[in-house]
Amino acid sequence: MQLFDDTASENTTVFADILLPIPIPRHFTYRVPADFLAMVQVGCRVIVQFGQKKILTGVVANIHQQPPQAYESRNILEVLDEQPIISTEQFRLFRWMAEYYMCTEGEVLAAALPSGFKLNSESRIQIHPDFNLESSSWPMADDELLLLEQLEQQESLNYTEAADIIKAKNLHKIIKSLLAKEAILLFESVKDKYKPRKEKRIRLSESYVSDKAMQRLFVELDKKEKQEAIVMQYLKEVPVYRHPEKNTLGISKKVLLEQHDLSASSLQTLVKKGIFEAFDHHISRLENINASQASEDIQFST
């Protein structure tokens, strides 16, 4: 619902409490510029500056005329919606979810809004796959063309990179315009928080998995005691002639060197010569689960 209409005095100072997608349990108050008085409504998305450099998309939660007491309010940079996208019922749902899951309303908002609805300093911009500049009927400003040309050369840009290219203070307006023209898409760069467990392993090169090749190898390693010791220990740990399939997995580099007090530099020399291969082995986090335990029926409480 819009609180102030077009007849509001130019001297009227209007403020808006903004719900931001951040884990801080409060709203932040921003000043509504005169140009946006007829546009700002509760439930609409707005672009604001948060901190020194961050740009965030928030949602208007309240409109009033009370300035904040603890800090000097900044202006809203842009209004993204002509109509509210968050209803009163959804605000109530956000508050309930925040209480139920013991988090903040901002965290609920971050999860609730699709990534394309959230413009921030880390958002990435790419050309819309269905957009064709030559066949587009939309007129393009010089700054818009400059950004599109750069996006044609690079797969995507984040907000900061785009700002450096455009050299304009109103980048948010350019992005809003290009979004309306369906020339670009916004998405969030997802960082993979899961890191697989890896183990450095070594194995004998396939060209040496034969009696004749091994005989030649020991002749080559004559008087190279440290390298010879590594080969001998590997053959004890991994019986490649009786069980050649075991050579595929090889042995842990750490186990081979530390448990048997062997030379790391000598092993590196053997790898450089192509006698051994070094590789990363991905260790499953489930491989130690007992098969009988995995097959047990799980009893749920009622």
Side-chain angles (χ1 to χ4, degrees):
M1 179 181 67
Q2 184 177 333
L3 187 61
F4 297 93
D5 57 28
D6 296 334
T7 61
S9 169
E10 293 182 359
N11 296 324
T12 300
T13 304
V14 180
F15 299 90
D17 295 333
I18 309 299
L19 173 60
L20 297 174
I22 55 177
I24 300 178
R26 52 169 292 190
H27 294 166
F28 292 85
T29 302
Y30 286 80
R31 186 188 301 269
V32 181
D35 292 346
F36 297 155
L37 285 176
M39 302 167 59
V40 170
Q41 302 177 63
V42 172
C44 285
R45 291 174 303 148
V46 294
I47 299 175
V48 297
Q49 181 177 343
F50 185 77
Q52 293 298 318
K53 296 182 179 180
K54 281 192 175 182
I55 299 295
L56 295 176
T57 297
V59 178
V60 178
N62 187 29
I63 302 174
H64 54 84
Q65 291 180 283
Q66 298 298 321
Q69 299 299 315
Y71 55 90
E72 184 72 23
S73 61
R74 291 174 170 169
N75 284 349
I76 289 174
L77 299 178
E78 187 61 66
V79 181
L80 293 177
D81 303 306
E82 295 181 359
Q83 298 294 330
I85 66 165
I86 303 295
S87 66
T88 302
E89 291 75 14
Q90 287 172 313
F91 275 117
R92 291 175 56 193
L93 176 62
F94 290 174
R95 288 193 291 271
W96 177 87
M97 292 180 69
E99 292 177 2
Y100 186 84
Y101 291 105
M102 293 183 290
C103 62
T104 66
E105 290 180 56
E107 290 172 296
V108 177
L109 178 67
L113 282 182
S115 60
F117 279 43
K118 294 179 285 188
L119 172 63
N120 58 59
S121 302
E122 299 304 317
S123 294
R124 300 200 69 84
I125 309 162
Q126 70 173 52
I127 291 182
H128 195 295
D130 296 330
F131 177 76
N132 187 312
L133 181 58
E134 294 181 358
S135 61
S136 175
S137 59
W138 291 102
M140 295 289 176
D142 290 342
D143 286 339
E144 294 175 342
L145 289 173
L146 179 61
L147 183 57
L148 290 174
E149 288 173 1
Q150 190 65 36
L151 286 171
E152 287 179 348
Q153 300 176 24
Q154 296 181 233
E155 184 176 346
S156 65
L157 297 167
N158 64 30
Y159 188 96
T160 303
E161 292 168 340
D164 290 339
I165 292 168
I166 298 300
K167 304 294 184 184
K169 295 182 179 180
N170 60 340
L171 175 63
H172 42 276
K173 293 184 178 180
I174 296 171
I175 292 177
K176 179 183 177 182
S177 174
L178 290 174
L179 283 171
K181 296 171 183 177
E182 298 185 344
I184 61 171
L185 291 175
L186 293 178
F187 67 97
E188 291 181 338
S189 180
V190 180
K191 297 181 179 178
D192 187 6
K193 295 182 179 179
Y194 168 77
K195 294 184 178 179
R197 291 175 59 194
K198 294 182 181 180
E199 181 182 58
K200 296 288 185 181
R201 301 179 75 91
I202 64 163
R203 60 189 168 210
L204 193 64
S205 297
E206 286 297 321
S207 58
Y208 289 93
V209 186
S210 70
D211 289 334
K212 291 183 178 180
M214 188 55 62
Q215 290 174 11
R216 291 195 303 269
L217 176 59
F218 280 115
V219 171
E220 180 184 341
L221 296 180
D222 186 32
K223 297 183 181 180
K224 297 177 181 177
E225 296 179 0
K226 291 183 178 181
Q227 295 180 30
E228 185 180 57
I230 292 174
V231 175
M232 291 293 293
Q233 189 59 48
Y234 180 84
L235 294 176
K236 289 180 182 179
E237 299 284 346
V238 185
V240 296
Y241 300 113
R242 283 179 291 141
H243 303 285
E245 70 281 358
K246 291 187 176 182
N247 188 57
T248 302
L249 283 179
I251 188 174
S252 166
K253 179 180 177 180
K254 182 178 180 180
V255 170
L256 179 66
L257 295 178
E258 295 183 4
Q259 290 189 5
H260 303 288
D261 193 25
L262 298 174
S263 169
S265 61
S266 295
L267 175 59
Q268 186 64 28
T269 300
L270 290 169
V271 172
K272 288 182 178 179
K273 289 180 177 180
I275 297 169
F276 280 104
E277 297 174 355
F279 64 100
D280 288 329
H281 173 62
H282 289 240
I283 303 174
S284 171
R285 298 179 185 271
L286 304 176
E287 62 184 9
N288 294 325
I289 296 178
N290 187 289
S292 61
Q293 292 177 329
S295 62
E296 290 179 358
D297 291 335
I298 300 175
Q299 300 296 324
F300 293 97
S301 59
T302 56

